[in-house]
Structures are given as C-alpha cells and as structure tokens.
Amino acid sequence: MSLTALEEIGEPFETRLIAFKAGEHRRPDYLAVNPAGKVPALDTGRGVVTQSGSILLYLARAHPDARLLPLTGDPLGEAAAVSALFRLSSDLHPLVTRFVLPGMMLQSDEAAPQVRAKAEELLIQQLQSIAAQLAQQRWMLGPDWSIVDTYLAWIWFRITGAGFDAAAFPEIAEMTGRANERAAAKRALEHEARAQQDLKQRGLAFTPPQVTTQKS
C-alpha cells in the first residue's frame, strides 16, 4: 500500500528491503528505525512514521494533490475516511496473518487449521459489509478512488493467494481489478517483483505453507 501511495505522489523515493527470514527486522540498525521490528517504516527526513495506516494518513496529508484520501477539512467527513483506513489496518490486516500464516501465532502447528478456520470466519464477517457497500458504489469511499481501495486490494491479494474463495465476493474482486489497473499500482507491483527476485536469489524467498482448513 505504501509503495502505491508513493507512486501515486510521483516524487522520487528509495526503498530498502528487510528480509525477515534473515532476521534483518531484529538487527540493531533496523530496530533503531522501528523498535517494534515491523515493516513498513517511512523515513520522511524529519522523522520516521510506522504502521501502515499512519504512513498512508501522513502521505495523504503531506501530499494533498495526490488525493490519496478525501481530506476536505470537514471533521466528520475526514473521520469517516480515516475510520475506513484504520478498519482495514486494525480489523482486517491482523486476520490476514492468521489466515495466511496461522503457525506464526503458535508454538506448534497442531492448532493451525483451527486458527485459520477462525480467521476465515472473521474475514467473511468483515468482508460481507464491505462487499455490500461496493455493490452500491464504485470505490470504498464513494465514486472516486482512494488509498483505502489499494489497501483492500492488498488484503484481497494476500488471502485469495492463500486459498480464500475469491468467488464469494465478486464486488471486491472487481474493485481490486480496477485498483490494480492504475499506473501507480502497476509500478508498485514491479517494485514488489524485484524485491521477490532479490530474496529468491539470496535463498530467502518465503512461500506461505499450505494449510487445509478443517470444516464439518
């Protein structure tokens, strides 16, 4: 999401790949950037911003001409936009990890199918209202694209790539397709592809394990 936002802004930026399998997120030099050892982290030149939702909100405020979010100055309207952004970062994003990588939550893989099944159940609950909303309007926040749509597209890409039923929510699938057709999104995906190639060459590429959800 952050890469797409930066591409939408159109100003030069540099990226640094943090390889989790190599433990680079726990090295002192990166912990000095983000003590939580998480990605992404954005160095603004005046300070570091962490957490995806905060980074996107910062970029939207710092670069209003990019129209990443509809920040019009109306407190209630802006609150609605920020609420949608943080719903994705706080409610859905954690479920992505539990669905795609349930073993990360556990000391043993034995309970992984149950963790994944519960995450799937909660994802369906969350996505139902979003799909209903998209059945009534082109984008998450109305007639115009925002970075919220790109965030949802990222979530959709991650979970469907790990076996979530894409046919269950055609409205979200269609919106994701539109979002990914934007030129900035295509450039961001090129960044991602180069990063994955780098990891592969270093023997650090990560493939999510295949976990079968147990259903009665």
Side-chain angles (χ1 to χ4, degrees):
M1 303 79 67
S2 299
L3 279 174
T4 302
L6 290 167
E7 288 289 354
E8 289 280 352
I9 290 166
E11 295 186 1
F13 64 91
E14 297 179 359
T15 60
R16 175 187 169 189
L17 179 62
I18 302 298
F20 274 55
K21 287 187 72 174
E24 293 176 357
H25 62 305
R26 293 299 181 190
R27 293 179 181 174
D29 60 336
Y30 186 69
L31 290 176
V33 175
N34 184 2
K38 302 290 186 179
V39 294
L42 176 68
D43 186 350
T44 68
R46 296 191 299 135
V48 174
V49 183
T50 61
Q51 300 293 334
S52 294
S54 295
I55 290 172
L56 297 177
L57 181 56
Y58 165 79
L59 290 173
R61 292 195 182 281
H63 301 275
D65 290 345
R67 298 186 178 182
L68 299 177
L69 288 171
L71 301 177
T72 62
D74 170 51
L76 186 59
E78 290 193 2
V82 173
S83 176
L85 176 61
F86 281 89
R87 179 184 182 187
L88 298 180
S89 67
S90 299
D91 296 341
L92 274 87
H93 196 148
L95 294 175
V96 174
T97 302
R98 286 158 177 78
F99 182 78
V100 178
L101 300 171
M104 287 186 64
M105 308 294 118
L106 307 165
Q107 292 183 334
S108 166
D109 289 337
E110 293 180 2
Q114 289 76 24
V115 172
R116 179 178 164 93
K118 189 62 177 180
E120 181 179 30
E121 175 188 334
L122 296 174
L123 280 167
I124 290 171
Q125 291 176 2
Q126 291 284 341
L127 294 174
Q128 283 175 339
S129 60
I130 292 175
Q133 186 177 348
L134 288 171
Q136 303 298 320
Q137 57 195 43
R138 183 172 176 82
W139 300 106
M140 281 281 288
L141 300 181
D144 299 318
W145 171 90
S146 75
I147 201 64
V148 173
D149 300 299
T150 293
Y151 204 152
L152 180 59
W154 176 87
I155 288 171
W156 187 249
F157 169 77
R158 288 290 184 264
I159 62 176
T160 56
F164 190 87
D165 184 9
F169 297 103
E171 300 89 352
I172 297 176
E174 291 172 8
M175 188 284 293
T176 294
R178 291 195 298 272
N180 288 339
E181 281 300 310
R182 294 178 69 85
K186 291 180 179 180
R187 292 193 296 271
L189 289 173
E190 291 172 1
H191 279 285
E192 295 278 2
R194 288 193 293 271
Q196 287 300 319
Q197 183 61 29
D198 185 5
L199 291 173
K200 184 176 180 180
Q201 291 174 351
R202 296 166 60 190
L204 297 173
F206 181 76
T207 302
Q210 295 297 312
V211 180
T212 302
T213 300
Q214 301 296 322
K215 295 183 177 180
S216 58

